[in-house]
Coordinates of all heavy atoms in Angstrom, one line a residue:
L81 N 8.8 6.1 -8.9 CA 9.9 6.7 -8.1 C 9.3 7.9 -7.4 O 8.6 8.7 -8.0 CB 11.0 7.2 -9.1 CG 12.1 8.0 -8.5 CD1 12.9 7.1 -7.5 CD2 13.1 8.4 -9.5
H82 N 9.6 8.1 -6.1 CA 9.1 9.2 -5.3 C 10.3 9.8 -4.6 O 11.2 9.1 -4.1 CB 8.1 8.7 -4.3 CG 6.9 8.1 -4.9 ND1 5.9 8.8 -5.5 CD2 6.5 6.8 -5.1 CE1 5.0 8.0 -6.0 NE2 5.3 6.7 -5.7
I83 N 10.3 11.1 -4.5 CA 11.2 11.8 -3.6 C 10.4 12.4 -2.5 O 9.4 13.1 -2.7 CB 12.0 12.9 -4.4 CG1 12.8 12.3 -5.5 CG2 12.8 13.7 -3.5 CD1 13.4 13.3 -6.5
T84 N 10.8 12.0 -1.3 CA 10.1 12.4 -0.1 C 11.0 12.5 1.1 O 12.1 12.0 1.1 CB 8.9 11.5 0.2 OG1 8.1 11.9 1.2 CG2 9.4 10.1 0.5
E85 N 10.5 13.2 2.1 CA 11.2 13.3 3.4 C 11.2 12.0 4.1 O 10.2 11.4 4.3 CB 10.6 14.4 4.2 CG 11.3 14.6 5.5 CD 10.7 15.7 6.4 OE1 9.8 16.5 5.8 OE2 10.9 15.7 7.6
Y86 N 12.4 11.6 4.5 CA 12.5 10.3 5.3 C 11.7 10.4 6.5 O 11.7 11.3 7.3 CB 14.0 10.1 5.7 CG 14.2 8.9 6.5 CD1 14.3 7.6 5.9 CD2 14.4 9.0 7.9 CE1 14.5 6.5 6.7 CE2 14.6 7.9 8.7 CZ 14.7 6.6 8.1 OH 14.9 5.5 8.8
G87 N 10.8 9.3 6.7 CA 10.0 9.2 7.9 C 8.7 10.0 7.8 O 7.9 10.0 8.8
S88 N 8.5 10.7 6.7 CA 7.2 11.5 6.6 C 6.0 10.6 6.4 O 6.2 9.4 6.2 CB 7.3 12.4 5.4 OG 7.3 11.7 4.2
A89 N 4.8 11.1 6.5 CA 3.6 10.4 6.3 C 3.6 9.8 4.9 O 3.2 8.6 4.7 CB 2.4 11.2 6.6
F90 N 4.0 10.6 3.9 CA 4.0 10.1 2.6 C 4.9 8.9 2.4 O 4.6 7.9 1.8 CB 4.4 11.2 1.6 CG 4.4 10.9 0.2 CD1 3.2 10.9 -0.6 CD2 5.6 10.6 -0.5 CE1 3.2 10.6 -1.9 CE2 5.6 10.3 -1.8 CZ 4.4 10.3 -2.5
W91 N 6.1 9.0 3.0 CA 7.1 7.9 3.0 C 6.6 6.7 3.6 O 6.7 5.6 3.1 CB 8.4 8.4 3.7 CG 9.5 7.5 3.8 CD1 10.4 7.3 2.8 CD2 9.9 6.6 4.9 NE1 11.4 6.4 3.2 CE2 11.1 5.9 4.5 CE3 9.4 6.4 6.1 CZ2 11.7 5.0 5.3 CZ3 10.0 5.5 7.0 CH2 11.2 4.8 6.5
N92 N 6.0 6.8 4.8 CA 5.4 5.7 5.5 C 4.3 5.0 4.7 O 4.2 3.8 4.7 CB 4.9 6.1 6.9 CG 6.0 6.3 7.8 OD1 7.0 5.5 7.9 ND2 6.0 7.4 8.6
E93 N 3.4 5.8 4.0 CA 2.4 5.2 3.2 C 2.9 4.4 2.1 O 2.4 3.4 1.7 CB 1.4 6.3 2.7 CG 0.5 6.8 3.8 CD -0.6 7.8 3.2 OE1 -0.5 8.1 2.0 OE2 -1.4 8.2 4.0
K94 N 3.9 5.0 1.4 CA 4.5 4.2 0.3 C 5.1 2.9 0.7 O 5.0 1.9 0.0 CB 5.6 5.1 -0.4 CG 5.0 6.4 -1.0 CD 3.8 6.1 -1.9 CE 3.1 7.3 -2.2 NZ 1.7 7.2 -2.5
L95 N 5.8 2.9 1.9 CA 6.3 1.6 2.4 C 5.2 0.7 2.8 O 5.3 -0.5 2.5 CB 7.3 1.9 3.6 CG 8.6 2.6 3.2 CD1 9.4 2.8 4.5 CD2 9.3 1.9 2.2
L96 N 4.2 1.2 3.4 CA 3.0 0.3 3.7 C 2.4 -0.3 2.5 O 2.2 -1.5 2.5 CB 1.9 1.1 4.4 CG 1.7 1.0 5.9 CD1 0.7 2.0 6.4 CD2 1.4 -0.3 6.3
F97 N 2.3 0.5 1.5 CA 1.7 0.0 0.2 C 2.6 -1.1 -0.4 O 2.2 -2.2 -0.8 CB 1.5 1.2 -0.8 CG 0.9 0.8 -2.1 CD1 -0.4 0.5 -2.2 CD2 1.7 0.8 -3.2 CE1 -1.0 0.1 -3.4 CE2 1.1 0.5 -4.5 CZ -0.2 0.2 -4.5
R98 N 3.9 -0.8 -0.5 CA 4.9 -1.7 -1.1 C 4.9 -3.0 -0.3 O 4.8 -4.1 -0.9 CB 6.3 -1.1 -1.0 CG 7.3 -2.0 -1.6 CD 8.7 -1.6 -1.1 NE 8.8 -1.9 0.3 CZ 9.8 -1.4 1.1 NH1 10.8 -0.8 0.5 NH2 9.9 -1.7 2.4
D99 N 5.0 -2.9 1.0 CA 5.1 -4.1 1.8 C 3.8 -5.0 1.8 O 3.9 -6.2 1.7 CB 5.4 -3.8 3.3 CG 6.8 -3.2 3.4 OD1 7.6 -3.3 2.5 OD2 7.1 -2.6 4.5
F100 N 2.6 -4.3 1.7 CA 1.4 -5.0 1.6 C 1.3 -5.8 0.3 O 0.9 -7.0 0.2 CB 0.2 -4.1 1.7 CG -1.1 -4.8 1.9 CD1 -1.5 -5.1 3.2 CD2 -1.9 -5.1 0.8 CE1 -2.7 -5.8 3.4 CE2 -3.1 -5.7 1.0 CZ -3.6 -6.1 2.3
L101 N 1.7 -5.1 -0.8 CA 1.7 -5.8 -2.1 C 2.7 -7.0 -2.1 O 2.4 -8.0 -2.7 CB 2.1 -4.9 -3.2 CG 1.1 -3.8 -3.5 CD1 1.6 -2.9 -4.7 CD2 -0.3 -4.3 -3.8
R102 N 3.8 -6.9 -1.4 CA 4.8 -8.0 -1.4 C 4.2 -9.2 -0.6 O 4.5 -10.3 -1.0 CB 6.1 -7.5 -0.7 CG 6.9 -6.6 -1.6 CD 8.2 -6.2 -0.8 NE 9.0 -5.4 -1.7 CZ 10.2 -4.9 -1.3 NH1 10.6 -5.0 0.0 NH2 10.9 -4.2 -2.1
L103 N 3.4 -8.9 0.4 CA 2.8 -10.0 1.2 C 1.5 -10.6 0.6 O 1.2 -11.7 0.9 CB 2.5 -9.5 2.6 CG 3.8 -9.2 3.5 CD1 3.3 -8.6 4.8 CD2 4.5 -10.5 3.7
H104 N 0.9 -9.8 -0.3 CA -0.4 -10.2 -0.8 C -0.4 -10.2 -2.3 O -0.7 -9.2 -3.0 CB -1.5 -9.3 -0.3 CG -1.7 -9.3 1.2 ND1 -0.9 -8.4 2.0 CD2 -2.4 -10.0 2.0 CE1 -1.2 -8.7 3.3 NE2 -2.1 -9.7 3.3
T105 N 0.1 -11.3 -2.9 CA 0.3 -11.4 -4.3 C -1.0 -11.2 -5.1 O -1.0 -10.7 -6.2 CB 1.0 -12.7 -4.7 OG1 0.2 -13.8 -4.2 CG2 2.4 -12.7 -4.1
D106 N -2.1 -11.6 -4.5 CA -3.4 -11.4 -5.2 C -3.7 -9.9 -5.4 O -4.1 -9.4 -6.5 CB -4.6 -12.1 -4.5 CG -4.7 -11.6 -3.0 OD1 -3.6 -11.3 -2.4 OD2 -5.8 -11.7 -2.5
T107 N -3.4 -9.1 -4.4 CA -3.6 -7.6 -4.5 C -2.6 -7.0 -5.4 O -2.9 -6.1 -6.2 CB -3.4 -7.0 -3.1 OG1 -4.4 -7.6 -2.2 CG2 -3.7 -5.5 -3.1
A108 N -1.4 -7.5 -5.4 CA -0.4 -7.1 -6.4 C -0.8 -7.3 -7.8 O -0.6 -6.5 -8.7 CB 1.0 -7.7 -6.1
A109 N -1.4 -8.5 -8.1 CA -1.8 -8.8 -9.4 C -3.0 -7.9 -9.8 O -3.1 -7.5 -11.0 CB -2.3 -10.3 -9.5
E110 N -3.9 -7.6 -8.9 CA -5.0 -6.7 -9.2 C -4.4 -5.3 -9.5 O -4.9 -4.7 -10.5 CB -5.9 -6.5 -7.9 CG -6.8 -7.6 -7.6 CD -7.6 -7.3 -6.4 OE1 -7.5 -6.3 -5.7 OE2 -8.4 -8.2 -6.0
Y111 N -3.5 -4.9 -8.8 CA -2.9 -3.6 -9.0 C -2.2 -3.5 -10.4 O -2.3 -2.6 -11.1 CB -1.9 -3.2 -7.9 CG -1.3 -1.8 -8.0 CD1 -2.0 -0.7 -8.1 CD2 0.1 -1.7 -8.0 CE1 -1.5 0.6 -8.2 CE2 0.7 -0.4 -8.1 CZ -0.1 0.7 -8.2 OH 0.5 1.9 -8.4
F112 N -1.5 -4.6 -10.7 CA -0.8 -4.7 -12.0 C -1.8 -4.6 -13.2 O -1.7 -3.8 -14.1 CB 0.0 -6.0 -12.1 CG 0.6 -6.2 -13.5 CD1 1.7 -5.4 -13.8 CD2 0.1 -7.1 -14.4 CE1 2.4 -5.6 -15.0 CE2 0.8 -7.3 -15.6 CZ 1.9 -6.5 -15.9
A113 N -2.9 -5.3 -13.0 CA -4.0 -5.3 -14.0 C -4.6 -3.9 -14.1 O -4.9 -3.4 -15.2 CB -5.1 -6.3 -13.7
L114 N -4.8 -3.3 -13.0 CA -5.4 -1.9 -13.0 C -4.4 -1.0 -13.7 O -4.9 -0.2 -14.5 CB -5.6 -1.4 -11.6 CG -6.1 0.0 -11.4 CD1 -7.5 0.2 -12.0 CD2 -6.0 0.4 -10.0
K115 N -3.2 -1.0 -13.4 CA -2.2 -0.2 -14.0 C -2.2 -0.3 -15.6 O -2.1 0.6 -16.3 CB -0.8 -0.4 -13.5 CG -0.6 0.1 -12.0 CD 0.7 -0.2 -11.5 CE 1.9 0.2 -12.3 NZ 2.7 1.2 -11.7
R116 N -2.2 -1.6 -16.0 CA -2.2 -1.8 -17.5 C -3.5 -1.2 -18.1 O -3.4 -0.6 -19.2 CB -2.1 -3.3 -17.7 CG -0.8 -3.9 -17.5 CD -0.7 -5.3 -17.9 NE -0.9 -5.4 -19.3 CZ -0.1 -5.9 -20.1 NH1 1.1 -6.4 -19.7 NH2 -0.3 -6.0 -21.4
S117 N -4.6 -1.4 -17.5 CA -5.8 -0.9 -18.0 C -5.8 0.6 -18.1 O -6.2 1.2 -19.1 CB -7.0 -1.4 -17.2 OG -8.2 -0.8 -17.5
L118 N -5.4 1.2 -17.0 CA -5.4 2.7 -16.9 C -4.3 3.3 -17.8 O -4.5 4.4 -18.4 CB -5.1 3.1 -15.5 CG -6.2 2.8 -14.5 CD1 -5.8 3.2 -13.1 CD2 -7.5 3.5 -14.9
A119 N -3.2 2.6 -18.0 CA -2.2 3.1 -18.9 C -2.7 3.1 -20.4 O -2.5 4.1 -21.1 CB -1.0 2.2 -18.9
A120 N -3.5 2.1 -20.7 CA -4.2 2.1 -22.0 C -5.2 3.2 -22.2 O -5.3 3.9 -23.2 CB -4.8 0.8 -22.3
Q121 N -6.0 3.4 -21.1 CA -7.0 4.5 -21.1 C -6.5 5.9 -21.2 O -7.0 6.8 -21.7 CB -7.9 4.4 -19.9 CG -8.8 3.1 -19.9 CD -9.6 3.1 -18.6 OE1 -10.0 4.1 -18.0 NE2 -9.8 1.8 -18.1
H122 N -5.3 6.1 -20.5 CA -4.8 7.4 -20.3 C -3.4 7.5 -20.8 O -2.5 8.2 -20.3 CB -4.8 7.8 -18.8 CG -6.1 7.7 -18.1 ND1 -7.1 8.6 -18.4 CD2 -6.6 6.8 -17.2 CE1 -8.2 8.3 -17.6 NE2 -7.9 7.2 -16.9
A123 N -3.2 6.9 -22.0 CA -1.8 6.9 -22.6 C -1.2 8.3 -22.8 O 0.0 8.4 -22.7 CB -1.8 6.1 -23.9
A124 N -2.1 9.2 -23.1 CA -1.6 10.6 -23.4 C -1.7 11.5 -22.2 O -1.4 12.7 -22.4 CB -2.3 11.1 -24.6
N125 N -2.1 11.0 -21.1 CA -2.3 11.9 -19.9 C -1.8 11.3 -18.6 O -2.6 10.6 -17.9 CB -3.8 12.3 -19.8 CG -4.1 13.4 -18.8 OD1 -3.3 13.6 -17.9 ND2 -5.3 14.0 -19.0
R126 N -0.6 11.6 -18.3 CA 0.0 11.0 -17.1 C -0.7 11.4 -15.8 O -0.8 10.6 -14.9 CB 1.5 11.4 -17.1 CG 2.3 10.9 -15.9 CD 2.6 9.5 -16.0 NE 3.4 9.1 -14.8 CZ 3.8 7.9 -14.6 NH1 3.5 6.9 -15.4 NH2 4.4 7.6 -13.5
T127 N -1.1 12.6 -15.8 CA -1.8 13.1 -14.6 C -3.1 12.3 -14.4 O -3.4 11.9 -13.2 CB -2.1 14.6 -14.6 OG1 -0.9 15.2 -14.8 CG2 -2.8 15.1 -13.4
A128 N -3.9 12.1 -15.4 CA -5.1 11.3 -15.3 C -4.9 9.9 -14.9 O -5.6 9.3 -14.1 CB -5.9 11.3 -16.6
Y129 N -3.8 9.3 -15.4 CA -3.4 7.9 -15.1 C -3.1 7.8 -13.6 O -3.6 7.0 -12.9 CB -2.2 7.5 -15.9 CG -1.5 6.3 -15.4 CD1 -2.0 5.0 -15.6 CD2 -0.3 6.4 -14.7 CE1 -1.3 3.9 -15.1 CE2 0.4 5.3 -14.2 CZ -0.1 4.0 -14.5 OH 0.6 2.9 -14.0
T130 N -2.3 8.8 -13.1 CA -1.9 8.8 -11.7 C -3.2 9.0 -10.8 O -3.3 8.3 -9.8 CB -0.9 9.9 -11.4 OG1 0.3 9.6 -12.2 CG2 -0.5 10.0 -10.0
D131 N -4.0 10.0 -11.2 CA -5.2 10.2 -10.4 C -6.1 9.0 -10.4 O -6.7 8.7 -9.3 CB -6.0 11.4 -11.0 CG -5.2 12.8 -10.8 OD1 -4.3 12.8 -10.0 OD2 -5.6 13.7 -11.4
A132 N -6.2 8.3 -11.5 CA -7.1 7.2 -11.5 C -6.7 6.0 -10.6 O -7.5 5.2 -10.2 CB -7.2 6.7 -13.0
K133 N -5.4 5.9 -10.3 CA -4.9 4.9 -9.4 C -5.1 5.3 -8.0 O -5.1 4.4 -7.1 CB -3.4 4.7 -9.6 CG -3.0 4.1 -10.9 CD -1.5 3.9 -11.0 CE -0.7 5.0 -10.6 NZ 0.8 4.8 -10.6
G134 N -5.4 6.5 -7.7 CA -5.5 7.0 -6.3 C -6.4 6.3 -5.4 O -6.0 5.9 -4.3
S135 N -7.6 6.1 -5.8 CA -8.6 5.4 -4.9 C -8.2 4.0 -4.6 O -8.3 3.5 -3.4 CB -10.0 5.5 -5.4 OG -10.1 4.8 -6.6
Y136 N -7.6 3.3 -5.5 CA -7.2 1.9 -5.3 C -6.0 1.9 -4.3 O -6.0 1.1 -3.4 CB -6.8 1.2 -6.6 CG -6.4 -0.2 -6.4 CD1 -7.4 -1.2 -6.3 CD2 -5.1 -0.6 -6.2 CE1 -7.1 -2.5 -6.1 CE2 -4.8 -2.0 -6.0 CZ -5.8 -2.9 -5.9 OH -5.5 -4.2 -5.7
I137 N -5.1 2.8 -4.5 CA -3.9 2.9 -3.7 C -4.3 3.2 -2.2 O -3.9 2.6 -1.3 CB -2.9 3.9 -4.2 CG1 -2.3 3.3 -5.5 CG2 -1.8 4.2 -3.1 CD1 -1.4 4.3 -6.2
R138 N -5.3 4.2 -2.1 CA -5.8 4.5 -0.7 C -6.4 3.3 -0.1 O -6.3 3.1 1.1 CB -6.7 5.7 -0.8 CG -6.0 7.0 -1.0 CD -6.9 8.2 -0.9 NE -7.9 8.3 -1.9 CZ -7.7 8.7 -3.1 NH1 -6.6 9.2 -3.5 NH2 -8.7 8.7 -4.0
S139 N -7.2 2.5 -0.8 CA -7.9 1.4 -0.3 C -6.9 0.3 0.2 O -7.0 -0.3 1.3 CB -8.9 0.8 -1.2 OG -8.2 0.1 -2.3
V140 N -5.8 0.2 -0.5 CA -4.8 -0.8 -0.1 C -4.0 -0.3 1.1 O -3.8 -1.1 2.0 CB -3.8 -1.1 -1.3 CG1 -2.6 -1.9 -0.8 CG2 -4.5 -1.8 -2.4
V141 N -3.7 1.0 1.1 CA -3.0 1.6 2.3 C -3.9 1.4 3.5 O -3.4 1.0 4.6 CB -2.6 3.0 2.1 CG1 -2.2 3.7 3.4 CG2 -1.5 3.1 1.0
N142 N -5.2 1.6 3.4 CA -6.1 1.5 4.5 C -6.2 0.0 5.0 O -6.2 -0.3 6.2 CB -7.5 2.0 4.2 CG -7.6 3.5 4.1 OD1 -6.8 4.2 4.7 ND2 -8.6 4.0 3.3
R143 N -6.2 -0.9 4.1 CA -6.2 -2.3 4.4 C -4.9 -2.7 5.1 O -4.8 -3.4 6.1 CB -6.3 -3.2 3.2 CG -7.7 -3.3 2.7 CD -7.9 -3.9 1.3 NE -7.3 -5.3 1.3 CZ -6.9 -5.9 0.1 NH1 -7.1 -5.3 -1.0 NH2 -6.4 -7.1 0.2
A144 N -3.8 -2.1 4.6 CA -2.4 -2.4 5.2 C -2.4 -1.8 6.7 O -1.9 -2.5 7.6 CB -1.3 -1.7 4.4
R145 N -3.0 -0.6 6.9 CA -3.0 -0.1 8.2 C -3.9 -1.0 9.1 O -3.5 -1.2 10.3 CB -3.6 1.3 8.2 CG -2.7 2.4 7.7 CD -3.3 3.7 8.0 NE -2.3 4.7 7.5 CZ -2.6 5.6 6.6 NH1 -3.8 5.7 6.0 NH2 -1.7 6.5 6.2
S146 N -5.0 -1.4 8.7 CA -5.9 -2.3 9.5 C -5.1 -3.6 9.8 O -5.2 -4.0 11.0 CB -7.2 -2.6 8.7 OG -7.9 -1.4 8.5
T147 N -4.5 -4.1 8.9 CA -3.7 -5.4 9.1 C -2.6 -5.1 10.1 O -2.4 -5.9 11.0 CB -3.1 -5.9 7.8 OG1 -4.2 -6.1 6.9 CG2 -2.3 -7.2 8.0
A148 N -1.9 -4.0 10.0 CA -0.8 -3.7 10.9 C -1.3 -3.5 12.3 O -0.7 -4.0 13.3 CB 0.0 -2.5 10.4
V149 N -2.4 -2.8 12.5 CA -3.0 -2.6 13.8 C -3.4 -3.9 14.4 O -3.2 -4.2 15.6 CB -4.2 -1.6 13.7 CG1 -5.0 -1.6 15.0 CG2 -3.7 -0.2 13.4
A150 N -4.1 -4.7 13.6 CA -4.6 -6.0 14.1 C -3.4 -6.9 14.5 O -3.4 -7.5 15.6 CB -5.4 -6.8 13.1
S151 N -2.3 -6.9 13.7 CA -1.1 -7.7 14.0 C -0.5 -7.1 15.3 O 0.0 -7.9 16.1 CB -0.1 -7.6 12.9 OG -0.7 -8.3 11.8
S152 N -0.4 -5.8 15.4 CA 0.2 -5.2 16.6 C -0.6 -5.6 17.9 O 0.0 -5.9 18.9 CB 0.3 -3.7 16.4 OG 0.7 -3.1 17.6
N153 N -1.9 -5.5 17.8 CA -2.8 -5.9 18.9 C -2.6 -7.3 19.3 O -2.5 -7.7 20.5 CB -4.2 -5.5 18.6 CG -4.5 -4.1 18.6 OD1 -3.8 -3.3 19.2 ND2 -5.6 -3.7 18.0
N154 N -2.5 -8.2 18.3 CA -2.4 -9.6 18.6 C -1.0 -9.9 19.2 O -0.9 -10.7 20.1 CB -2.5 -10.5 17.3 CG -3.9 -10.5 16.8 OD1 -4.8 -10.3 17.5 ND2 -4.1 -10.8 15.5
A155 N 0.0 -9.2 18.8 CA 1.4 -9.4 19.3 C 1.4 -9.0 20.8 O 2.0 -9.6 21.6 CB 2.4 -8.6 18.5
R156 N 0.7 -7.9 21.1 CA 0.6 -7.4 22.5 C -0.1 -8.4 23.4 O 0.3 -8.7 24.5 CB -0.1 -6.1 22.6 CG 0.8 -4.9 22.3 CD 0.1 -3.6 22.6 NE 0.3 -2.8 21.4 CZ -0.7 -2.2 20.7 NH1 -1.9 -2.3 21.1 NH2 -0.4 -1.5 19.7
V157 N -1.2 -9.0 22.9 CA -1.9 -10.0 23.7 C -1.0 -11.2 23.8 O -0.9 -11.8 24.9 CB -3.2 -10.4 22.9 CG1 -3.9 -11.6 23.6 CG2 -4.2 -9.2 23.0
E158 N -0.4 -11.7 22.8 CA 0.4 -12.9 22.8 C 1.6 -12.8 23.8 O 2.0 -13.7 24.5 CB 0.9 -13.3 21.4 CG -0.1 -13.8 20.6 CD 0.3 -13.9 19.1 OE1 1.5 -13.8 18.8 OE2 -0.6 -14.3 18.3
R159 N 2.2 -11.6 23.9 CA 3.3 -11.4 24.9 C 2.8 -11.6 26.3 O 3.6 -11.9 27.2 CB 3.8 -9.9 24.7 CG 4.8 -9.8 23.6 CD 5.6 -8.5 23.7 NE 4.7 -7.3 23.7 CZ 4.5 -6.6 22.6 NH1 5.0 -6.9 21.5 NH2 3.7 -5.5 22.7
H160 N 1.6 -11.4 26.6 CA 1.1 -11.5 27.9 C 0.4 -12.8 28.3 O -0.1 -13.0 29.4 CB 0.1 -10.3 28.2 CG 0.8 -9.0 28.1 ND1 1.7 -8.5 29.0 CD2 0.6 -8.0 27.2 CE1 2.1 -7.3 28.7 NE2 1.5 -7.0 27.6
L161 N 0.3 -13.7 27.3 CA -0.3 -15.0 27.5 C 0.8 -15.9 28.2 O 2.0 -15.9 27.9 CB -0.7 -15.6 26.2 CG -1.9 -14.9 25.5 CD1 -2.2 -15.6 24.2 CD2 -3.1 -15.0 26.4
P162 N 0.3 -16.7 29.1 CA 1.3 -17.7 29.8 C 1.7 -18.7 28.7 O 1.0 -19.1 27.8 CB 0.4 -18.3 30.9 CG -1.0 -18.0 30.6 CD -1.0 -16.8 29.7
K163 N 3.0 -19.1 28.9 CA 3.5 -20.1 28.0 C 3.4 -21.5 28.5 O 3.1 -21.9 29.5 CB 5.0 -19.8 27.7 CG 5.2 -18.5 27.0 CD 6.6 -18.3 26.7 CE 6.7 -17.0 25.9 NZ 7.8 -16.7 25.3

């Protein structure tokens, strides 16, 4: 659960992450496994658990951004192709 300003960078990143996981079940499964492992390692330290997920989450957000940019570029090209 996150409380954030609507439309903020943080808000957009969380939606990108969520949507990417919904579309890529393999990545969602990896994230689930990571969370289980980290929860066991950091059972008594919520901050360490959250911090340990950070690099994975950033990598997924970066992949989601790359995918979104590529999709956006492809859509622009397709709009201009003759039918």
Side-chain angles (χ1 to χ4, degrees):
L81 175 65
H82 300 282
I83 297 174
T84 184
E85 181 181 344
Y86 177 80
S88 68
F90 183 81
W91 182 80
N92 285 316
E93 283 187 358
K94 298 307 166 208
L95 291 181
L96 254 175
F97 182 72
R98 179 202 67 190
D99 293 346
F100 192 86
L101 292 181
R102 286 180 176 176
L103 291 172
H104 299 88
T105 56
D106 56 331
T107 303
E110 283 178 3
Y111 183 55
F112 177 74
L114 175 67
K115 287 175 56 114
R116 286 185 64 118
S117 172
L118 294 174
Q121 290 175 35
H122 303 290
N125 188 340
R126 177 75 180 177
T127 301
Y129 165 77
T130 301
D131 291 346
K133 295 185 306 178
S135 63
Y136 185 83
I137 292 170
R138 282 188 298 278
S139 74
V140 171
V141 168
N142 288 337
R143 285 172 52 200
R145 281 190 181 121
S146 296
T147 301
V149 168
S151 294
S152 176
N153 288 339
N154 288 340
R156 278 189 230 123
V157 169
E158 288 171 6
R159 278 195 299 263
H160 297 290
L161 292 176
K163 295 186 179 193

